[in-house]
Amino acid sequence: QKEVEQNSGPLSVPEGAIASLNCTYSDRGSQSFFWYRQYSGKSPELIMSIYSNGDKEDGRFTAQLNKASQYVSLLIRDSQPSDSATYLCAVPRGGGSEKLVFGKGTKLTVNP
Amino acid sequence: EAGVTQSPTHLIKTRGQQVTLRCSPISGHTSVYWYQQALGLGLQFLLWYDEGEERNRGNFPPRFSGRQFPNYSSELNVNALELEDSALYLCASSLKGAAPRGYTFGSGTRLTVV
């Protein structure tokens, strides 16, 4: 099993809809989880971090974490064309090494 | 506050040549990370430096090397370039601490090997 897995997509949603992006991870000891957004040709930008089970909301973004299922998701409400990007899930490698392992990303397209 | 800065932004090299990429972290950050993002592949971890020392290394051949200077800036060196080294090279920095806080990436260096 890969350390961090994401559906590669592409995921296409209409403007105004909810986009749901999913990520699973293999290391049960992971304590923190990150979502990055990467526009085409640009570098990744940290948009959400989550450390505890449950939901964390920031504007239109909600991160959900379920450690028992080793599952983290990102919901984007009221999706906008400007949300069209690749979303990367990242999990630190166990043992406090501070190395982040990234999934391959899910490409999201929001259609006007 | 200035972000992570990388130079150059673009580079074209010939197979077999050597290249040096540079990174300046955010002020106060002591850790610098290098990643490679080749077309169609995810971000692959290359190197982690903290306080001048190499702390971790990814699964890359020895021709990928680097160093961190006393001011915490860093260089990534790639020797004997191969075509598959063509990629976006990203540098990130963070504060040192027991729990990762997420990286801030620079804008990257796009390397093309011909």
Side-chain angles (χ1 to χ4, degrees):
Chain A
Q1 182 186 7
K2 292 181 180 177
E3 290 188 83
V4 181
E5 291 200 70
Q6 296 180 251
N7 292 332
S8 59
L11 175 65
S12 182
V13 300
E15 184 174 355
I18 296 175
S20 178
L21 305 162
N22 304 315
C23 173
T24 58
Y25 59 94
S26 61
D27 184 357
R28 284 196 171 274
S30 298
Q31 297 295 317
S32 48
F33 308 86
F34 305 94
W35 283 100
Y36 284 79
R37 177 177 62 199
Q38 186 174 25
Y39 292 113
S40 181
K42 302 295 184 182
S43 62
E45 172 193 11
L46 179 64
I47 57 171
M48 287 288 283
S49 57
I50 185 166
Y51 303 93
S52 305
N53 271 335
D55 295 359
K56 178 183 177 182
E57 188 173 316
D58 184 1
R60 296 186 295 110
F61 297 94
T62 299
Q64 299 176 319
L65 174 60
N66 184 326
K67 289 186 178 180
S69 300
Q70 294 175 245
Y71 176 94
V72 59
S73 64
L74 179 69
L75 301 178
I76 305 174
R77 293 183 302 280
D78 188 23
S79 295
Q80 301 297 309
S82 59
D83 296 325
S84 297
T86 297
Y87 289 82
L88 303 167
C89 174
V91 179
R93 187 73 180 274
S97 71
E98 300 196 35
K99 179 183 93 171
L100 284 182
V101 178
F102 287 83
K104 288 194 173 183
T106 299
K107 185 173 182 179
L108 171 67
T109 300
V110 181
N111 301 304
Chain B
E1 177 186 80
V4 178
T5 57
Q6 291 187 245
S7 63
T9 54
H10 294 85
L11 208 49
I12 299 176
K13 289 287 188 178
T14 303
R15 190 171 53 181
Q17 284 188 313
Q18 178 266 342
V19 68
T20 298
L21 311 180
R22 295 178 175 82
C23 172
S24 293
I26 291 172
S27 178
H29 286 188
T30 62
S31 282
V32 170
Y33 311 82
W34 288 95
Y35 280 79
Q36 182 198 65
Q37 189 176 36
L39 192 63
L41 300 178
L43 275 81
Q44 302 294 315
F45 170 75
L46 268 166
L47 290 159
W48 169 33
Y49 291 95
D50 184 70
E51 296 188 334
E53 299 288 329
E54 181 180 303
R55 303 295 184 180
N56 204 341
R57 181 182 178 85
N59 188 25
F60 280 83
R63 57 191 186 83
F64 287 84
S65 65
R67 56 179 172 168
Q68 186 178 34
F69 299 99
N71 66 353
Y72 304 118
S73 66
S74 177
E75 286 182 350
L76 173 68
N77 298 294
V78 187
N79 294 321
L81 284 167
E82 300 180 2
L83 296 179
E84 53 264 33
D85 296 333
S86 295
L88 179 66
Y89 288 84
L90 292 161
C91 171
S93 72
S94 75
L95 294 167
K96 182 181 180 181
R101 296 173 177 82
Y103 297 160
T104 301
F105 282 100
S107 56
T109 294
R110 175 78 60 185
L111 173 65
T112 302
V113 182
V114 296

